[in-house]
Amino acid sequence: EDQVTQSPEALRLQEGESSSLNCSYTVSGLRGLFWYRQDPGKGPEFLFTLYSAGEEKEKERLKATLTKKESFLHITAPKPEDSATYLCAVQEGYGGATNKLIFGTGTLLAVQP
Amino acid sequence: ETGVTQTPRHLVMGMTNKKSLKCEQHLGHNAMYWYKQSAKKPLELMFVYSLEERVENNSVPSRFSPECPNSSHLFLHLHTLQPEDSALYLCASSQDPIGSRWGRSGETQYFGPGTRLLVL
């Protein structure tokens, strides 16, 4: 059964304290792994798509990496405005009937000034 | 956020009411999705439309009825809902070119702001 597990569930950082969020996945053929940011009461905002192991993408203080079993979202010198829930999702490949995304439950990040 | 819009943003309804949620995408996509997001649970896919044809119905109760009149608009018709249906309902869209289902690249889905639904 396809699964996505995110850890930790919640993370509290001081401003400037770098850390990483983890997304472990089990899927029969990966077409894509997606990271989203979600602020309270809003829809998920797209951050990155990773397609193959070894791929990395960066955007401001965020860097996403991918292996065959997991993805990391590294946050360097975070600021309070980085506080949000970060969602990971995978898209099954090779024979999947639709572009179905399987989501994890997210990591709630709080960055204190 | 203006790429995918949803109305209303908030909705309170009784169990005997009938209401509709509306989603509109301005991204030129041809696939649209309804998701349900409840507290402490992953986003749950409800329905998928590709080229205005429903391609997935994820065992959703019949009190939820989707409609996709064209590739830019998606509706979710609600009737005789239960309190446990209270949640954030999210619409998303993506590009789904012919053959991508069997291809190697995933298509990014872009989400609207959601409708916060409370069923009393």
Side-chain angles (χ1 to χ4, degrees):
Chain A
E1 182 181 334
D2 298 340
Q3 280 194 320
V4 178
T5 303
Q6 291 189 247
S7 62
E9 287 188 15
L11 180 63
R12 181 170 294 183
L13 300 174
Q14 291 296 123
E15 184 171 1
E17 180 187 1
S18 301
S19 188
S20 297
L21 313 182
N22 177 263
C23 172
S24 299
Y25 64 91
T26 305
V27 65
S28 54
L30 181 71
R31 285 176 62 190
L33 184 140
F34 302 81
W35 282 99
Y36 290 86
R37 169 194 169 126
Q38 186 173 24
D39 292 302
K42 296 187 176 181
E45 175 189 345
F46 170 69
L47 293 174
F48 304 108
T49 307
L50 302 168
Y51 295 109
S52 57
E55 188 174 0
E56 299 181 353
K57 288 192 177 174
E58 287 188 66
K59 179 180 179 180
E60 297 180 354
R61 296 176 292 282
L62 301 177
K63 178 180 178 180
T65 62
L66 181 66
T67 72
K68 289 186 178 180
K69 294 183 179 180
E70 58 191 349
S71 176
F72 291 93
L73 185 65
H74 306 278
I75 303 176
T76 302
K79 297 182 178 182
E81 53 262 42
D82 294 321
S83 298
T85 296
Y86 290 85
L87 300 173
C88 171
V90 298
Q91 201 166 60
E92 184 185 34
Y94 311 121
T98 67
N99 294 325
K100 180 177 179 178
L101 287 178
I102 303 166
F103 279 86
T105 52
T107 294
L108 176 61
L109 174 66
V111 181
Q112 295 181 316
Chain B
E1 191 169 323
T2 56
V4 181
T5 59
Q6 291 186 243
T7 55
R9 294 294 308 276
H10 302 274
L11 179 62
V12 180
M13 58 187 290
M15 289 192 287
T16 58
N17 291 159
K18 290 184 180 181
K19 296 287 184 182
S20 295
L21 310 185
K22 179 183 176 182
C23 174
E24 184 173 359
Q25 60 95 1
H26 309 274
L27 300 170
H29 291 159
N30 57 13
M32 298 187 77
Y33 312 77
W34 279 117
Y35 286 87
K36 175 183 179 182
Q37 188 175 33
S38 305
K40 304 294 185 182
K41 293 176 70 175
L43 271 74
E44 301 172 51
L45 180 65
M46 300 176 71
F47 301 104
V48 181
Y49 277 83
S50 179
L51 300 173
E52 301 155 39
E53 177 185 341
R54 190 190 311 180
V55 295
E56 182 148 349
N57 177 345
N58 234 24
S59 302
V60 179
S62 59
R63 56 186 184 269
F64 295 92
S65 175
E67 178 189 0
C68 187
N70 55 62
S71 60
S72 298
H73 294 86
L74 184 65
F75 294 89
L76 187 63
H77 304 297
L78 316 172
H79 63 97
T80 60
L81 294 191
Q82 304 298 312
E84 59 264 30
D85 296 322
S86 299
L88 181 68
Y89 288 84
L90 293 161
C91 173
S93 72
S94 73
Q95 190 59 28
D96 183 18
I98 300 299
S100 75
R101 298 167 188 174
W102 312 99
R104 299 182 66 85
S105 296
E107 298 295 337
T108 300
Q109 293 180 22
Y110 294 88
F111 287 82
T115 295
R116 174 66 64 184
L117 173 66
L118 177 61
V119 181
L120 300 176

